[in-house]
Amino acid sequence: MATELKLKELSKKEDRLTPGHRLCAGCAAPIIVRQILTAIDEPVVLANATGCLEVSTTIYPYTAWNVPWIHTAFETAASTISGVEAMYRSLVRQGKMEERNVKFVAFGGDGGTYDIGIQALSGMMERGHRALYVCYNNEAYMNTGIQRSGATPLGAWTTTSPVGTVVPGKPRHRKDLTAIAAAHDIPYAAQASPHNWRDLMKKVRKAVAANGASFMNVISDCNRGWRHETDQTLEVTRLAVETCYWPLYEVEDGEWRLTYRPKEKLPIEEFLEPQGRFRHLFAEQNKHIIEELQAEVDRKWKQLLQRCGEEE
Amino acid sequence: MSRFEAMDGNTATAEAMRQINPDVVAAYPITPQTSTVQTFSQFVADGEVDTEFIRVESEHSAMAACIGASSAGGRVMTATAANGLALMWEMVYIAASNRSPIVMPVVNRALSGPINIHCDHSDSMGARDAGWIQLYGENPQEAYDNCLQAVRIAEHEDVLLPVMTMYDGFITSHGLERVQIEDDEAVRDFIGPFKAHEPLLDIDNPVTYGPLDFYDFYMEHKRQQVEGMKHARRVIPEVAADFEKRFGRKYGFFEEHRLDDAELALVVLSSTAGTAKSVVDDLRSRGIKVGLLKPRVFRPFPAQELADALRDKAAIGVMDRSDSFGALGGPLFMELSAACKIHDVPAKIVDYVFGLGGRDTTPDQIESVVRDLADIADTGKIKQLVSYLGVRE
Amino acid sequence: MVDLNAGWRDIPRGGKIVEAGNAREYETGSWRAMRPVVDQEKCINCLQCWVFCPDASIIVENEEMVGFRYEYCKGCGICASICPVDAIEMVSEAEAESEAVGAASGSDRRPAKDE
């Protein structure tokens, strides 16, 4: 029987990611990892791309991982887990190892997933390895100093899309990687958020039960790069979802389903306002960018509602 | 019972892979390695191997998957050439630092650019600092034999380093020769079972692979790799001795052909050594005391042994099938020169860069090298330290 | 126990770390400028703080929130900000230390409700 998704039951489980890691105070990544690893009852083996999560949890000779874990390089979370999963299948098939219903999970930031790691991810999905790939998306290459990524939204300040006198932040919209993953026709793809832990955990369980590759894109607030106080992590994350900037949905065997619909769709300003990386957009000459952002959020939201068979 | 078959280098390698029966292979096709993976794919499709074959989407992913699979705890192989090796360059270093005993045949082909699919050694020579053991084979028989021995060397308790086994693209890979293939059972017995060291799949004893090192531990981890290479110098001849006992074919750090009483020596890797041997025989019949040294093990570099074999020569002509632009000469020349200097070999040494991008090297050209050596031995003067054999001016 | 002066012969080959979870030996509590304190009278044991703590620094025993792992807590304030009944307050670390309310290292366990 799977552990009930009740905090009182879940809190009895052993920490698979221990304290003593060196992620920033208030970082969403370890919140996400803790929720994911708590939701999975089966044994897990993890692969991790280079990035905040990887470097901060494994500064030799310390490791915060209480489960088997491997890092090889930046763009290789998906290709590495493909090799691990294949070895497991091979050894079990040959009778060299017992079948223990092991779950294989790869973690990568948006850097290692949207950009440099997209090839490996695509290959893993196309080949149908039975592994879950989780992208903890903090919308920039945070570990190397907040440089822009393919996940960075329009107008955001980053160190390689800074706000200058000529160009006010990132000039283009971000990629829709969850849709790209779903377009690989994998059995399960989803978008989630750690502030809605129950939704996230339900999705994780579906993902690891899938008979093939699965993908989860999880919004991962970074108070350093997004520029806000450390205690605002979950509030800002909540606003991302309530403004429909980061919708919560799943694609299960090709069927699109909205798993959370805000009672009231908040204007994008509510998400932008608390974050220093968008502060410049509130200057008069940049207000049109907020309008563009709103228009894009509205367009994608409408598209999503249609795909999910929801009323507008 | 062993059998004799007409096989090219790729088929012989695929046959070795079939007999080794690795748990996982992750490979991407690239000319002239393609027929190796194609032949192996047929073995997989016919259920002749237990291998889980990952048809990865690039060589970079091939090596990443291999490292993942090896760390998970099983026997892993792949194969590549040229730009495929170049693409997996960062991962190749990581396979060595991870101490993953991966075996990888590399079908020697020129690195782009311009793009060229023919033989030279720029690919494997480019990877010589990566921490892999490197073996070169002259012909399909050696390609097969080196592949089998590589597994034992890589997986040895004291070594635990990945091994690349080279053979010449098209010349050896696609050249049909008579190859002695050993019995499946005998090969299995020689290879032995795989022993995992703290694998990822030992769920009850979780291990972290690939941590972040700061300046306080990186050097210690690298020093460990050096130690592995030191042990390899001892293990490689041990494995070769066992191989000879079981299968009768003798291997060492290098092969000597009429080198003992020679005054002039040619040093050349791989298939060109085959041509050079017949040139040596021909010149010997005309009274010229020339001999050949064909290196087999390039990493770890057997400096002392090479120096000892060349100690009493008057002139040595190294033939490099790759170059290092801006360096003193090709890689074999530079390392051999250093070995000779350090181990007090007085011979004059010169370098001939040849055969780049598959340029054919004729017996006449090799003979001209020997003439140069004779001149150097007579006059004590080197007219040209590094020459480009056969290039049109 | 981690040995930061280990020589190359003493450590596993390949950079492997075989003591799982030994990061527990690294106490990040010294990072914080503020520390959470809980008013057990207000606490309803919803355990939201537990599921949202980035550093697994909420101590839960017998389904009850009993305190904080101050040896690790970085003082981010997320627990205080999301507590639905405002049972958690962030206080200045300097003040807390000077008042010896809790030790800077070592858990400060508040007695459970019915103790």
Side-chain angles (χ1 to χ4, degrees), chain B residues 212-285:
Chain B
L212 172 78
D213 259 359
F214 281 137
Y215 25 77
D216 58 349
F217 274 102
Y218 185 81
M219 277 191 84
E220 280 68 25
H221 288 134
K222 292 293 144 186
R223 177 63 186 84
Q224 289 176 331
Q225 284 180 246
V226 170
E227 198 67 9
M229 277 289 184
K230 280 193 186 162
H231 287 299
R233 288 177 105 269
R234 173 181 46 87
V235 168
I236 290 169
E238 279 173 16
V239 171
D242 190 30
F243 189 86
E244 186 188 353
K245 199 169 89 198
R246 292 167 191 260
F247 304 124
R249 291 184 294 284
K250 193 176 163 67
Y251 285 90
F253 286 121
F254 45 82
E255 185 192 328
E256 297 177 52
H257 182 78
R258 311 187 76 163
L259 190 66
D260 225 19
D261 65 334
E263 284 165 9
L264 314 170
L266 288 169
V267 179
V268 57
L269 286 158
S270 287
S271 65
T272 311
T275 315
K277 280 179 206 170
S278 55
V279 171
V280 163
D281 288 344
D282 180 44
L283 291 171
R284 278 281 186 171
S285 71

Side-chain angles (χ1 to χ4, degrees), chain B residues 79-97:
Chain B
T80 194
N83 285 57
L85 180 58
L87 184 60
M88 53 162 86
W89 198 71
E90 70 161 342
M91 304 313 297
V92 157
Y93 275 70
I94 294 168
S97 63

Side-chain angles (χ1 to χ4, degrees), chain A residues 43 45 55 58-61 63 65-73 75-76 79-80 82-84 86-91 93-94 96-97 100 102 104 119-120 123 127 129, chain B residues 23-24 50-52 54-58 60-61 64-65 67-69 71-76 90-91 94 98 200-201 203-204 206-214 217 221:
Chain A
V45 177
V55 306
T58 56
I59 298 175
Y60 192 88
T63 177
W65 299 98
N66 233 350
V67 288
W69 179 99
I70 179 167
H71 155 257
T72 56
E75 62 285 66
T76 53
S79 40
T80 304
S82 295
V84 177
M87 180 55 78
Y88 177 72
R89 267 189 290 122
S90 179
L91 296 180
R93 184 171 35 78
Q94 295 180 69
K96 290 178 178 172
M97 193 180 156
R100 287 179 66 172
V102 179
F104 298 94
Q119 179 208 298
R127 291 188 301 269
H129 291 273
Chain B
D23 299 303
V24 168
D50 297 308
T51 312
E52 193 71 33
I54 314 174
R55 293 147 186 93
V56 283
E57 76 296 336
S58 88
H60 191 281
S61 291
I67 297 167
S71 308
R75 194 167 269 156
V76 177
E90 70 161 342
M91 304 313 297
I94 294 168
N98 235 40
L200 286 169
L201 291 174
I203 308 286
D204 304 316
V207 187
T208 287
Y209 273 75
L212 172 78
D213 259 359
F214 281 137
F217 274 102
H221 288 134

Side-chain angles (χ1 to χ4, degrees), chain A residues 144-170:
Chain A
T144 44
I146 319 169
Q147 295 93 16
R148 67 80 100 195
S149 79
T152 307
L154 179 79
W157 167 89
T158 68
T159 53
T160 48
S161 65
V163 177
T165 51
V166 176
V167 183
K170 189 177 180 242

Side-chain angles (χ1 to χ4, degrees), chain B residues 5-57:
Chain B
E5 269 197 52
M7 277 189 177
D8 61 27
N10 280 355
T11 310
T13 297
E15 182 63 13
M17 289 173 70
R18 183 189 67 78
Q19 294 181 312
I20 292 164
N21 194 16
D23 299 303
V24 168
V25 165
Y28 192 80
I30 179 169
T31 310
Q33 156 263 47
T34 41
S35 54
T36 310
V37 293
Q38 286 166 187
T39 307
F40 192 76
S41 294
Q42 193 64 52
F43 293 142
V44 174
D46 290 334
E48 290 191 50
V49 288
D50 297 308
T51 312
E52 193 71 33
F53 185 18
I54 314 174
R55 293 147 186 93
V56 283
E57 76 296 336

